[in-house]
Amino acid sequence: MTRFVARLLYLLASALGRLPWSWQMRLGDAVARLWQRRAAREARVARVNLELAYPGLAAEERERLQRAIVRTTARQAIETLRLWTRPHAENLALLREQHGVELFDAALAAGRGLIVAAPHYGNWELLNQWLASRTPLAILYRPPESAVGEAFLNLVRADSDTGRVTQVRAEGAAVRQLWKRLSAGGVVGILPDQQPKAGDGEFAPFFGVPALTMTLLGRLAERTGATVLFCYCERLPSHPQQPAFALRVEAAPAGIADPDPQRACVALNAAVERIARRDPAQYQWTYKRYTLRPSGNGDDNPYRLR
């Protein structure tokens, strides 16, 4: 039954993903308006995050940014259905610009292992497809809570390069798997701005607010000597007829592999923040980044009752 339901969801996603791009944009905008009217989770979380991250912004400007974030998030949801249900080669043609690819190629050639830090900025599903087109890799991911959700993701992420991607659950033996791959000179992809479980990270400033930050990336970089590169697919505004992106590959700050986990987390968050500030509407401000607070008791969770 799980696979059957996942297949039905895939057929629906495929139908939506094959609509003309102008229709997809209008559908995304309609979803965004619905989220705003009903004060949906996406709209509420974005508003709280902006209050925390941009306290000096005028209220009207913050509301304008919140609306842009919600609209972009809704459009991206439809856009991702398109990327999931079309051939990867066709999707990669949407990359109109590529910057810093020489850094990626040099890291592969060095053979010391490569950690790709992929923040939730732009479209990370398109980045996954570009990475798979260049090299075999392992991607650390947090599995959906439902079996149907996971079965659906396995379907939509399947393509001719499926065998080049190993999906590693963020649990149990994940660290050993990633360590082994990096030690052999392989490539690992990590989403660096996901909140870890309590006890699995350090608090470090993110937009001036303490945020529980993963120590895994820094530990892997420090202990294996692997290169760390930040990679993302940034949406370009100059192509209204269809989605278009710029692939960007950037060197990580030296402090990201600091043996002191606190300093490594500070460097990691600073790098993610710099990318997010390029165009805040493209960053995933609909994610509850600040749920766990330094107090440890949860009473000051900013999303509570919001």
Side-chain angles (χ1 to χ4, degrees):
M1 179 60 71
T2 295
R3 297 181 67 181
F4 175 73
V5 175
R7 175 62 65 177
L8 288 180
L9 291 175
Y10 179 83
L11 291 175
L12 175 61
S14 182
L16 292 174
R18 293 186 178 278
L19 292 173
W21 175 236
S22 60
W23 293 19
Q24 291 177 347
M25 284 195 296
R26 285 196 287 270
L27 178 59
D29 291 347
V31 171
R33 289 192 295 271
L34 181 63
W35 284 347
Q36 293 284 23
R37 282 199 304 271
R38 297 197 172 184
R41 176 191 177 280
E42 291 78 4
R44 289 184 284 108
V45 172
R47 183 169 286 110
V48 173
N49 280 334
L50 292 179
E51 290 171 356
L52 293 168
Y54 291 90
L57 207 60
E60 313 83 62
E61 184 64 16
R62 196 159 54 233
E63 282 299 308
R64 183 202 63 77
L65 181 54
Q66 186 266 359
R67 289 193 297 272
I69 289 167
V70 171
R71 182 175 62 251
T72 300
T73 300
R75 284 187 174 189
Q76 178 166 316
I78 306 300
E79 173 185 278
T80 297
L81 296 180
R82 177 191 185 103
L83 296 175
W84 276 342
T85 56
R86 294 192 179 194
H88 290 189
E90 180 180 332
N91 295 335
L92 294 177
L94 300 174
L95 292 172
R96 304 302 178 84
E97 301 176 13
Q98 298 192 28
H99 306 274
V101 177
E102 67 280 0
L103 296 175
F104 188 88
D105 291 341
L108 290 181
R112 295 192 299 271
L114 169 60
I115 299 172
V116 174
H120 287 90
Y121 179 86
N123 196 301
W124 46 94
E125 291 294 339
L126 181 58
L127 174 65
N128 286 343
Q129 294 179 15
W130 182 84
L131 292 170
S133 75
R134 305 285 294 198
T135 181
L137 75 157
I139 295 177
L140 184 68
Y141 80 106
R142 185 173 297 169
E145 295 182 0
S146 73
V148 170
E150 183 148 24
F152 172 72
L153 286 180
N154 288 334
L155 278 174
V156 297
R157 286 174 173 164
D159 202 347
S160 59
D161 55 16
T162 301
R164 295 167 66 82
V165 179
T166 301
Q167 297 196 65
V168 178
R169 285 170 164 260
E171 57 188 27
V175 175
R176 289 195 300 274
Q177 292 183 59
L178 300 181
W179 178 287
K180 185 175 181 179
R181 183 172 287 258
L182 290 171
S183 298
V187 181
V188 164
I190 297 178
L191 299 168
D193 47 356
Q194 283 189 329
Q195 181 176 252
K197 295 179 181 178
D200 288 345
E202 295 278 347
F203 281 96
F206 184 60
F207 282 82
V209 181
L212 188 63
T213 305
M214 67 165 59
T215 55
L216 172 62
L217 192 151
R219 291 203 317 269
L220 288 173
E222 190 263 325
R223 296 177 185 177
T224 66
T227 300
V228 181
L229 296 175
F230 279 81
C231 302
Y232 52 99
C233 289
E234 185 176 51
R235 192 171 292 100
L236 295 173
S238 56
H239 297 269
Q241 299 307 313
Q242 63 176 335
F245 299 87
L247 170 76
R248 300 190 185 278
V249 179
E250 300 170 355
I256 208 162
D258 195 294
D260 182 329
Q262 175 68 34
R263 288 198 289 265
C265 286
V266 168
L268 176 62
N269 279 358
V272 175
E273 179 176 332
R274 182 188 57 77
I275 293 170
R277 287 187 182 276
R278 290 179 59 89
D279 182 357
Q282 292 198 45
Y283 188 66
Q284 193 186 31
W285 285 115
T286 55
Y287 176 66
K288 294 182 178 181
R289 184 67 180 88
Y290 302 108
T291 302
L292 299 175
R293 311 309 308 132
S295 66
N297 59 24
D299 291 342
D300 49 0
N301 178 347
Y303 310 102
R304 193 180 299 277
L305 302 179
R306 296 292 292 270

